[in-house]
Amino acid sequence: MTTSATEAFSRMVVGLLGPVTVWCAGETAPVPGRLDRLLLAHLTLAEGRSLSVDALIDALWGDDAPAQARNAVQVKISRLRRHLGPHGDLLQHTQGSYRLLLQHDQTDVGAFTQLVQGGEQLLHDGQHASAAERFSTALALWRGQPLAELDDHPRLVACRIRLDELRTTAREAHAEARLADPGTRAGAIADLRAVLEQEPLRARARLALMHGLEAAGRRADALAVYDAGRRLYARSAGLEPPEDLRQAFARLLEDERRATRRATPVRAHPRSAPDGLLEVTRWVADDGDLPGALTLAVRGAWWWWLGGHRGRAHDLLQDLLQRASKAALTDGTVRLAAEAWAGVFGSHRAQEALALDRADTALRTTSRPAWSPHDALAAVLVAERLYERGEHHRAGRLLALAARYYSRGDDEWGQTLCATISARGRLLAGDISTAEGQARARAADFADLDDVAGQMMALDIIGYCAEIRGDLHTAAHIHTRALHLARRAEAPDWEAAQLTRLGNVGALAGRPDAVDHLSQAAELGIALGSNAVTALCRNGLGVALSLQGEGEAAAAEHHAAYGWYQQTGSPSGLSYTGARLAMLHGPEDTAALTGAVDSLHLAVQSRDPRAVAHSLEALGLVTDQPADAARALGAAAALRKASTALLPPIQLRPLRHRQRQLRTQLGSNFSTHWSAGVRAPVCTARHW
C-alpha cells in the first residue's frame, strides 16, 4: 500500500470498497451483522442526505419487513452508533429520518472518487507524474469487490456498476499517465492490454495503448491494435470504431507512409547556437574584427531569439552597429543583415514601430545584394510581428519575399515556416477555418523535419483556433503540448506565451488555476525583460480577474498593458485593450464611450472581424443610446457568426443582459435596430 493510501485510510470512518468496514483510529472494525452492514451501506451512499424510516425498512427487508420493523430499525441504529465508536454522533435523527454526516474523505468511496477526479485534472494539465501518483493512491483503496456480500437493492446495484466503471476508468487513466515516462511505459502498456482483455470495447484504453506503442517506437503494433479493435466493433456492434480512434489511426498510418517514402531530411539550420556565442561575438568585436563579430551575431540570432536571449542579443547588435557606423564599415551585406535582426529583437520593445520599420527598410533596400538564409528568417519574424499588430499588407508583402527566397532554394524548412506565418496571418484576419487547416498541415511537416520550434509555432495557432471556436478542452490540451515542446527546446519566451494561452483558456473555462498560469507567465516575461510578453499576460490577467468579479484589479492590469501598447503604437493591442477597459468602466464613465469608439476605429483598420466584433460589443455595452447599442450588438453577433469566433457562455452573459435591457427600452423597435446591424455589420462599424 502506498504512503498516500495509508494516510487516506487514517482519515476514514466507513469503507465500502471491499467488505463493509468501520475504521476507529485507523484500525478496522468489521460490522458483524449483515443487516447492520446493509444499513451502514445505504446511509453512507446517501452522502449526508436523510433517509426516512420507511426507506430504511425497504432497504433492509424489502417486501418481507417484520411486523415490528420500525422498532427493529431503531435497535439497529443504536447498534450502528456503537460500531461507529467516537464517530457515533455523526449518525443523526431528524423528523423521522436518519442521516450519516460524513465528509468525502471519511469514506473510501468518496476518497476514491475525489482522487480520480483530481488525477484526471492533473492528466489534462499535462502533470503526468502527479496524476499517476493520484491514480495509484485511488486504486490502492480497493480491498475487494464493493458491497459484494449484500443484496440486489437497486441503489446498491447502481453503486456497484458505477464504482466498477470508475475503477476501470482509473486503471486506464493511471496507465495513460505513466506512458509519458519511458521508465514506466512498458508497465502501462501491459496494464492497458489487461484492461482490454477484460473489456475489449474500451475505446480510451485502446487509444492510450496505440499512443503508448507509438511512443515506444512500435508503430506497427499500434496499427495492429487499432485493426483488432476495428474488427471487434464490427463483429460485436456492427459499427465503425469511435471517431477519436479512427483519427489516431489515420495519423499513425500517414506517419508510417511518410516514414517509408521520404529520405532523411536535410536540415536548413543547426539545432542550436554554441554555448557562449554571445560572449565570443563581443570578444571578437573587442579584438578588432567587427565584420567577423557581425557575421557571428547574424548567425546566432535565430537561436538567441528562441532561447530567451532577446534582450542581450538586442543590446549586442545595437553595440556592434554603432561601432560599424563609427568605423564606416564597408561590408553592406552583413551590416544590413544585422540591421534587420536588430529590428527583429527591437520589435518587442517600446520603440516597436521604429524597430519594424528599421528591419523592413534593411531587408527591402534596393541597394542590397541578394538575401542570405538569415535575412529570410528575419523577414519571416518581422512579418509575423506585423500581422500581430494588424498591419497585414506590409506583413504579406515581406512574407512573400521570404517565401520566394526559400522556394528558389528548394528549402523545405523555410517554406514550411513561411506557410506557418501565413496561417497566423489568416487567423488574425478572422479566417479561422483556413488558419487551423493550414497550421495542422504545417505541424505535421515540422514533425517530419524533427523541428521542435516549428511545431511550437504551429500548435500555438491550432490551440488558439480551438479557443476561438469555443472548444476550450482541446485548446488547453494543445497548448499544454506546445508548453512541453517549449520547455524541451528551452525557449522561455515561448513557454511564457503558452502559459498565457493556458491561463486565458482556463479563465474562459472558469478554472481556478487560470490566474496562477497567467501570473507565472508574467513573472517569466519580467525575468526575460520582455515587455511584449508581459503586456499579453496582463491583458489575460485582466480578463481572468474580471470574470471572477474583481473589476478594479482587472482594470489595473489592462491599464498597464494599454500603457505598453501606447508606447509601441500597436493598433491591435490598443484596440483590444481599449475595448476591455471600456467594458470595465461601463456607461457611467464618460471616457468609456470615447475609448470604445477609438477601439472600433483601430479594429476596422486591422480588418480582423473578431477585433471589430469585440469593439462593437464594448460600444453596445457602454453607449447610452439604445438604438446605437442594438445595432452595434447585432453587427457584432453577425461578425462572430461569420468568422466562427463565438464567445464562450461566461463572456456572453453581460451581452445577453444588455440585450434584455434594450428589448425593454426599445420594445418592438429592438428587432429593427438589431437586424440593421446584422445586415450590414461593416457599415455599422464604420458609422462611428
Side-chain angles (χ1 to χ4, degrees):
M1 185 182 298
T2 66
T3 302
S4 298
T6 302
E7 293 174 355
F9 277 126
S10 70
R11 294 188 294 273
M12 278 180 206
V13 176
V14 177
L16 303 181
L17 299 178
V20 177
T21 305
V22 170
W23 270 272
C24 292
E27 298 294 327
T28 59
V31 181
R34 191 186 73 83
L35 289 181
D36 295 338
R37 296 195 299 273
L38 194 57
L39 177 63
L40 179 58
H42 280 279
L43 287 167
T44 301
L45 294 175
E47 297 180 330
R49 296 185 302 275
S50 296
L51 295 181
S52 67
V53 173
D54 288 339
L56 292 175
I57 291 172
D58 176 69
L60 294 174
W61 294 287
D63 294 333
D64 299 322
Q68 302 299 319
R70 290 182 173 273
N71 291 336
V73 167
Q74 292 176 1
V75 170
K76 294 187 182 302
I77 289 289
S78 299
R79 191 158 55 200
L80 186 53
R81 282 202 181 96
R82 290 196 298 274
H83 283 308
L84 290 169
H87 304 291
D89 58 346
L90 299 178
L91 180 50
Q92 299 180 356
H93 176 263
T94 48
Q95 297 180 350
S97 300
Y98 293 93
R99 60 179 179 175
L100 183 57
L101 292 176
L102 296 172
Q103 301 296 320
H104 279 294
D105 62 355
Q106 290 183 300
T107 73
D108 53 8
V109 171
F112 173 72
T113 302
Q114 282 190 325
L115 285 164
V116 172
Q117 291 172 346
E120 291 282 17
Q121 186 61 58
L122 288 168
L123 188 59
H124 175 266
D125 292 341
Q127 300 181 46
H128 295 90
S130 298
E133 182 179 354
R134 192 71 62 94
F135 288 124
S136 178
T137 301
L139 291 167
L141 298 179
W142 282 65
R143 297 166 291 109
Q145 282 300 311
L147 313 172
E149 84 277 22
L150 302 181
D151 63 24
D152 290 332
H153 188 280
R155 180 183 295 133
L156 301 185
V157 172
C159 181
R160 288 185 196 119
I161 294 172
R162 179 179 67 84
L163 289 172
D164 283 339
E165 170 64 23
L166 193 57
R167 186 186 192 187
T168 304
T169 298
R171 291 175 63 195
E172 291 172 323
H174 186 215
E176 196 175 324
R178 288 148 56 218
L179 290 175
D181 183 354
T184 58
R185 186 176 293 145
I189 288 173
D191 287 349
L192 288 167
R193 289 194 183 279
V195 170
L196 288 174
E197 284 178 7
Q198 295 174 358
E199 298 187 48
L201 297 180
R202 298 284 302 191
R204 181 176 183 177
R206 193 167 296 277
L207 182 62
L209 180 56
M210 290 167 63
H211 288 322
L213 291 169
E214 166 70 3
R218 299 164 59 186
R219 185 178 294 150
D221 290 342
L223 293 169
V225 166
Y226 172 82
D227 189 58
R230 179 188 59 77
R231 286 184 276 107
L232 276 169
Y233 278 105
R235 186 169 62 247
S236 302
L239 299 172
E240 286 286 317
E243 178 65 20
D244 52 357
L245 280 176
R246 283 184 280 142
Q247 289 181 357
F249 172 72
R251 286 193 296 269
L252 287 172
L253 192 59
E254 181 59 26
D255 289 345
E256 183 66 15
R257 287 169 178 162
R258 285 177 175 166
T260 56
R261 71 174 178 242
R262 74 171 187 266
T264 302
V266 178
R267 295 183 57 83
H269 306 277
R271 287 187 178 274
S272 64
D275 291 338
L277 183 60
L278 274 160
E279 291 75 13
V280 170
T281 302
R282 193 175 291 281
W283 178 84
V284 169
D286 292 341
D287 198 45
D289 184 4
L290 193 53
L294 283 167
T295 299
L296 285 174
V298 169
R299 288 181 178 276
W302 168 248
W303 301 109
W304 296 334
W305 176 261
L306 285 177
H309 305 298
R310 297 180 186 181
R312 293 174 62 202
H314 175 268
D315 294 343
L316 173 64
L317 281 163
Q318 288 287 83
D319 178 47
L320 295 179
L321 287 167
Q322 287 174 5
R323 296 190 197 195
S325 179
K326 292 178 181 178
L329 185 67
T330 56
D331 186 348
T333 304
V334 69
R335 184 171 174 177
L336 285 169
E339 288 276 3
W341 275 101
V344 170
F345 286 113
S347 67
H348 284 251
R349 295 194 161 209
Q351 301 301 314
E352 176 183 87
L354 291 175
L356 291 169
D357 288 344
R358 176 185 190 180
D360 196 7
T361 300
L363 288 164
R364 297 197 303 110
T365 182
T366 56
S367 62
R368 69 168 297 136
W371 276 5
S372 71
H374 308 290
D375 294 315
L377 256 179
V380 171
L381 295 176
V382 171
E384 180 181 34
R385 194 65 188 142
L386 288 170
Y387 276 131
E388 290 168 351
R389 285 173 56 88
E391 299 181 54
H392 291 258
H393 179 69
R394 288 178 66 195
R397 183 175 56 186
L398 202 53
L399 188 63
L401 292 174
R404 196 176 307 148
Y405 170 85
Y406 286 124
S407 180
R408 282 198 302 267
D410 198 24
D411 185 330
E412 185 179 357
W413 182 88
Q415 292 177 66
T416 304
L417 180 64
C418 286
T420 303
I421 302 306
S422 176
R424 184 175 293 282
R426 298 309 309 162
L427 166 62
L428 295 172
D431 190 352
I432 313 303
S433 177
T434 300
E436 186 171 18
Q438 290 178 350
R440 286 190 181 280
R442 301 297 77 79
D445 291 340
F446 277 125
D448 286 347
L449 293 165
D450 191 26
D451 187 85
V452 173
Q455 292 178 67
M456 284 190 305
M457 299 171 82
L459 286 173
D460 180 69
I461 297 169
I462 299 167
Y464 192 36
C465 287
E467 177 187 338
I468 292 169
R469 287 189 287 98
D471 188 353
L472 301 181
H473 177 79
T474 297
H477 175 70
I478 292 170
H479 287 309
T480 300
R481 285 176 56 196
L483 177 62
H484 291 162
L485 289 175
R487 288 170 173 165
R488 174 180 152 194
E490 298 180 352
D493 289 273
W494 276 95
E495 180 180 350
Q498 294 314 303
L499 283 170
T500 302
R501 296 285 198 212
L502 283 169
N504 291 340
V505 170
L508 296 177
R511 286 178 44 182
D513 60 355
V515 172
D516 290 340
H517 277 135
L518 289 161
S519 298
Q520 289 176 43
E523 290 172 6
L524 191 52
I526 292 169
L528 293 167
S530 176
N531 289 331
V533 169
T534 306
L536 190 66
C537 297
R538 285 188 174 280
N539 264 338
L541 276 168
V543 173
L545 291 168
S546 68
L547 292 175
Q548 293 178 4
E550 300 180 39
E552 188 172 338
E557 297 294 341
H558 287 310
H559 272 299
Y562 194 80
W564 163 253
Y565 291 127
Q566 280 182 314
Q567 290 183 55
T568 62
S570 170
S572 58
L574 288 169
S575 174
Y576 175 81
T577 315
R580 290 295 314 167
L581 284 168
M583 290 178 182
L584 285 171
H585 291 161
E588 68 279 359
D589 190 325
T590 55
L593 180 59
T594 302
V597 171
D598 290 345
S599 166
L600 181 58
H601 290 164
L602 290 168
V604 170
Q605 292 174 30
S606 75
R607 298 182 299 172
D608 181 350
R610 294 181 304 116
V612 176
H614 182 61
S615 298
L616 284 167
E617 286 156 358
L619 190 61
L621 288 172
V622 303
T623 181
D624 60 359
Q625 299 298 314
D628 287 347
R631 282 198 300 275
L633 294 178
L639 288 169
R640 289 205 175 275
K641 183 177 181 181
S643 60
T644 66
L646 303 179
L647 288 172
I650 196 169
Q651 288 187 310
L652 276 174
R653 289 171 191 162
L655 298 177
R656 287 176 173 162
H657 177 70
R658 179 62 168 149
Q659 288 173 35
R660 289 193 293 271
Q661 287 181 332
L662 294 171
R663 286 183 187 277
T664 301
Q665 292 173 322
L666 294 170
S668 60
N669 290 327
F670 172 81
S671 296
T672 302
H673 295 298
W674 175 277
S675 299
V678 170
R679 285 194 302 271
V682 176
C683 291
T684 300
R686 289 175 176 163
H687 167 73
W688 279 275

